[in-house]
Amino acid sequence: MKTMEDVIGDYTTDAEGNQVEVGFIPRPTDQRVAFNLFFQDHIPSFPQFRVHLNFVFASGLPYGPPKSEPAKRVFRTPWYRRVDLGLSFMLLEQSRDRMKHKSAFLRSIKNAGIYVEVFNLLGTYNVSSYMWVTDIHNIQHAVPTYLTGRLINVKLMVEF
């Protein structure tokens, strides 16, 4: 999605001190490419076991120094890349196992499963934002803030 704006009559000063019209600048939501793919499947002979993959790929967003004029907000964050892998094993499912048990407690459980997920399987350090640091010469430098690398999540879910 290409989103740009051109404010009529907006001017900035170039390196020589001349006033020049800014022209089109990218909006904060100007992200050219975003691709998401989620795939889930189970083994036909073992339907309690499921696997899912999640792929996310997106181009960078525009940013610039805080409290600066819009013409200076023309930098772009790096591309966002991520792959997630999930495995689940359903212990009880409402349609299949619920009425088999003599215990009233086990019959009250609609679904129960164990989930193991690996977020950011490739360990890519994606940039979430930038912290701006000003040096002694009043020059601002962008220091990236990274999202979590690889993360493993294990959970037990019980639905009553």
Side-chain angles (χ1 to χ4, degrees), residues 63 76-78 127-132 142-145:
Y63 73 96
R76 287 213 175 253
T77 60
V127 174
S128 66
S129 64
Y130 288 89
M131 180 177 65
W132 290 87
V143 178
T145 303

Side-chain angles (χ1 to χ4, degrees), residues 94-106:
Q94 182 177 16
S95 61
R96 200 166 33 95
D97 301 324
R98 190 170 171 200
M99 298 303 156
K100 291 180 182 178
H101 298 285
K102 293 180 183 179
S103 167
F105 174 74
L106 290 177

Side-chain angles (χ1 to χ4, degrees), residues 1 3 5 12 35 48 59 71 73 75 79 86 94 104 125 130 138 141-142:
M1 178 171 72
T3 58
E5 71 178 341
T12 188
F35 177 76
Q48 301 94 331
S59 61
R73 297 185 200 139
F75 303 113
W79 289 65
Q94 182 177 16
Y125 288 99
Y130 288 89
N138 205 25
H141 302 277

Side-chain angles (χ1 to χ4, degrees), residues 41-62:
D41 202 2
H42 69 276
I43 301 170
S45 61
F46 198 55
Q48 301 94 331
F49 184 70
R50 297 181 185 136
V51 177
H52 73 261
L53 286 168
N54 183 35
F55 298 95
V56 181
F57 183 75
S59 61
L61 292 168

